[in-house]
Amino acid sequence: MFGSAVPASAASRPLSHARIVAHFDVAAGQQPENILVEPGGVDLVFAGSFQVVRIGNDGRRRVLATLPAPDDGGVNTPGIGVAIATGIARGTDGSLYVGYAAGGDDLTGVWRIRPGEKPERVIPLTAASFPNGIDVDQRTGDIYVADSSRGILWRAPSGGGIPVVWSAAPELAPTTLFGANGLKVHDGAVWTSNRDRGTLLRIPLGRHAGRVETRFTGAPGIDDFAFAGDSVLAANVGANEVVLITPDGTSSTVLTGADGLQQPTAVAIDGHTVYVTSAAYFSRQDPNLLVAHLNGR
């Protein structure tokens, strides 16, 4: 899988054999914001070109969809003043769902991508929202969306529809720029990171959100994450590192800029393979896709 890349050497246990397997063009908006593992490859969301691209294990790239660009470039997008494609998840029917913070009431929300069809906005949100992390409860089909600017978790019906506020707990709120950010449905709960507060939160699933549990604190800049057994591998875009968070709430750095990271945004795990996207939002140099081996699984 992606076998032609040159290994880096700084990865720390339980990761090893870290290497960059794909480089992207920052000038073309190819800044990978999020990732979804597929049979035979991965799907990436390119933030600045509003595209979803599939990269096969042989390295070949195919554009699955391009979201419509706002006429004004997204100048009213909260916090950043430019439109950006964000999270990605797969629904129970196989559809892809992609977040879009576009700075306007007509485009902002969650879009559905199906083979042979044009992308369709199926969860509308207003210009004040910044939809970011997305995941689907595979038991019910419900879609959960982290709204980073408003500090809200939305829930929408299977297949899309008008969202309802599932949680607006104060722990989700931003302090300066972005609050609730990455999001995963896992083990009977919705997990989300708060970028500004540097926290990882767990909220038990139910028709109404359970009480927020703070499982980790101390990583301002934390973005999206993935579960490695009972532990979490989290991208920290602010610190330019990936951290391992154990069930007791302690953390250790497992990947850094020495491995080739350029402001990592998301992590995905497939068996023993860990994927990390680097969007190079600050450096504007070498957005890339890194893979590493996860030991002990």
Side-chain angles (χ1 to χ4, degrees):
M1 181 178 291
F2 298 111
S4 62
V6 177
S9 59
S12 300
R13 296 181 61 185
L15 300 187
S16 63
H17 300 90
R19 61 200 188 278
I20 296 173
V21 296
H23 300 269
F24 307 113
D25 184 357
V26 68
Q30 296 176 353
Q31 294 170 282
E33 165 66 17
N34 216 305
I35 183 170
L36 181 68
V37 176
E38 299 281 12
V42 296
D43 294 340
L44 300 181
V45 178
F46 282 158
S49 61
F50 324 134
Q51 290 179 319
V52 178
V53 176
R54 181 163 296 169
I55 302 182
N57 290 339
D58 59 1
R60 294 185 181 182
R61 305 178 188 183
R62 178 165 61 96
V63 176
L64 300 183
T66 302
L67 304 183
D71 293 336
D72 62 1
V75 295
N76 294 314
T77 303
I80 60 174
V82 63
I84 178 176
T86 56
I88 186 170
R90 181 169 292 284
T92 54
D93 65 349
S95 299
L96 294 177
Y97 293 92
V98 178
Y100 195 21
D105 294 343
D106 57 333
L107 297 177
T108 300
V110 177
W111 290 66
R112 183 172 61 201
I113 298 171
R114 288 173 167 169
E117 299 181 9
K118 290 183 177 181
E120 176 187 10
R121 186 173 71 154
V122 294
I123 302 176
L125 293 169
T126 69
S129 287
F130 194 108
N132 206 330
I134 301 170
D135 206 0
V136 177
D137 184 345
Q138 296 297 319
R139 300 172 306 164
T140 66
D142 286 343
I143 302 168
Y144 291 85
V145 184
D147 190 331
S148 294
S149 58
R150 300 178 66 181
I152 288 172
L153 299 186
W154 300 96
R155 187 189 69 225
S158 174
I162 302 301
V164 298
V165 175
W166 185 68
S167 179
E171 292 91 340
L172 304 171
T175 58
T176 57
L177 184 62
F178 290 137
N181 196 318
L183 186 147
K184 292 290 185 294
V185 177
H186 175 77
D187 193 23
V190 173
W191 296 68
T192 187
S193 58
N194 186 310
R195 179 190 182 278
D196 283 354
R197 299 173 189 266
T199 53
L200 180 66
L201 310 171
R202 180 184 186 274
I203 308 176
L205 276 169
R207 199 63 188 167
H208 302 286
R211 188 174 69 86
V212 177
E213 306 165 10
T214 300
R215 290 301 184 92
F216 174 74
T217 187
I222 190 172
D223 203 313
D224 213 345
F225 53 90
F227 286 89
D230 293 330
S231 297
V232 171
L233 285 170
N236 189 322
V237 65
N240 195 36
E241 63 186 20
V242 171
V243 297
L244 175 72
I245 302 170
T246 55
D248 64 1
T250 59
S251 70
S252 58
T253 300
V254 294
L255 293 170
T256 69
D259 298 293
L261 297 183
Q262 290 284 348
Q263 295 86 56
T265 52
V267 180
I269 300 174
D270 182 26
H272 289 276
T273 303
V274 175
Y275 300 88
V276 181
T277 54
S278 286
Y281 286 136
F282 311 131
S283 70
R284 305 288 295 176
Q285 296 180 3
D286 190 30
N288 60 59
L289 174 65
L290 177 148
V291 300
H293 183 77
L294 178 62
N295 303 303
R297 292 199 77 198

